[in-house]
Amino acid sequence: MTRSERANEKNDAWFAGEAFHGCGLDPEFEEIAKEFLLGDVEDRGCLTDVQRALVTVAALTATQSLQHMGQYLRAGLRMGATAEQLRETIYQCAPYVGLERALCALEAASPVLMECDGDAVPNTRVTEADRFDKGLAVQRQLFGAGNIDNMRESAPAELRHIQDYLSAHCFGDFYTRGGLDLPTRELITFCAICCLGGCEPQATSHAAANLNIGNGRELLIDAVTQCLPFIGFPRTLNALGCIDAACRK
């Protein structure tokens, strides 16, 4: 089967079928984009359809490519992702891409998600009293207790509030939420950081965290490959370098 045939076969069910096909702005570019995303990228690797959907939403959120967010969400729902999983993907991106970007992504996503879970129950699983402790526990699970404790102890006094925010806000407020398991949240985090670009030390650290909790090298490579159409080759190659660096540790 040719790339074009594979792309057309997936056109009605998968992401670019709605986002890239039929816009009419530039049919030649749309065809090139559709065949690359559907004929090449979507046809390889070990990601499940749900993982592809969530990684794509993370890429759209991080890059603020929100014009077609609704089409991608509807395609993700058809491929088996739930509205809760898609919403939680955007939540998970927030401490990495910034609260305002996450809010803009939720605004773009809300018309589709509210059709499915307008009465969704809040997924918060921490309180003001325990968000720090629960977040710190997740950090230790991902990165190793010794590494986290050493990082906190060695932080200069004027920066210790940042370490506290990491534990309480980033890991307490978000990683502890329902709707997604920890390996999926960490995979989304890694993809969001890679999509931002210029965050290679953090991407390497989170590649290592993914490896620590069972997200293997092949899965990480395939997740970055899924991001490629949305972030381009330079950021993709940098992300692959981060995976290599984490695997050598």
Side-chain angles (χ1 to χ4, degrees):
M1 184 181 293
T2 67
R3 292 170 64 245
S4 181
E5 288 170 339
R6 290 198 300 269
N8 288 330
E9 183 180 70
K10 294 182 179 181
N11 186 58
D12 291 335
W14 203 238
F15 300 109
E18 294 182 1
F20 280 127
H21 183 65
C23 298
L25 297 177
D26 195 313
E28 183 178 6
F29 179 82
E30 291 167 14
E31 190 65 20
I32 293 171
K34 183 185 74 172
E35 290 191 1
F36 180 56
L37 181 54
L38 297 185
D40 288 330
V41 172
E42 299 293 349
D43 202 48
R44 73 160 316 281
C46 65
L47 293 179
T48 66
D49 285 348
V50 170
Q51 287 172 327
R52 291 185 192 279
L54 303 187
V55 167
T56 298
V57 170
L60 296 173
T61 300
T63 61
Q64 289 292 278
S65 303
L66 303 179
Q67 182 177 357
H68 298 124
M69 176 67 89
Q71 291 97 314
Y72 283 99
L73 290 172
R74 291 186 190 282
L77 291 167
R78 289 198 299 272
M79 300 309 292
T82 66
E84 181 183 39
Q85 289 172 319
L86 295 166
R87 184 187 300 277
E88 285 299 323
T89 295
I90 299 175
Y91 269 63
Q92 183 62 28
C93 291
Y96 300 97
V97 307
L99 298 176
E100 186 65 24
R101 287 183 179 181
L103 186 61
C104 289
L106 286 169
E107 182 178 4
S110 63
V112 174
L113 297 183
M114 288 184 66
E115 293 175 6
C116 305
D117 66 354
D119 297 322
V121 177
N123 270 334
T124 300
R125 293 181 175 178
V126 295
T127 66
E128 189 64 28
D130 65 14
R131 59 196 281 265
F132 174 83
D133 290 335
K134 288 186 176 180
L136 182 59
V138 174
Q139 276 184 290
R140 288 169 168 165
Q141 182 178 352
L142 289 171
F143 300 100
N147 291 331
I148 294 300
D149 292 345
N150 288 338
M151 180 179 69
R152 290 184 55 80
E153 290 171 5
S154 62
E158 66 269 23
L159 297 180
R160 286 176 185 167
H161 66 290
I162 299 297
Q163 296 299 324
D164 290 344
Y165 293 167
L166 271 171
S167 297
H169 179 62
C170 180
F171 291 93
D173 289 344
F174 291 99
Y175 272 86
T176 63
R177 291 175 58 82
L180 296 173
D181 61 22
L182 184 58
T184 301
R185 286 190 180 276
E186 186 56 23
L187 182 65
I188 290 166
T189 292
F190 173 68
C191 291
I193 293 172
C194 292
C195 290
L196 289 174
C199 305
E200 281 68 41
Q202 292 77 22
T204 301
S205 177
H206 280 276
N210 271 276
L211 296 172
N212 287 341
I213 57 171
N215 290 336
R217 173 185 171 88
E218 181 183 4
L219 181 68
L220 295 182
I221 291 173
D222 289 340
V224 171
T225 302
Q226 181 68 36
C227 296
L228 169 58
F230 307 99
I231 64 175
F233 281 92
R235 291 181 184 180
T236 298
L237 294 173
N238 287 346
L240 295 175
C242 293
I243 296 171
D244 284 341
C247 289
R248 289 195 297 268
K249 289 185 175 181

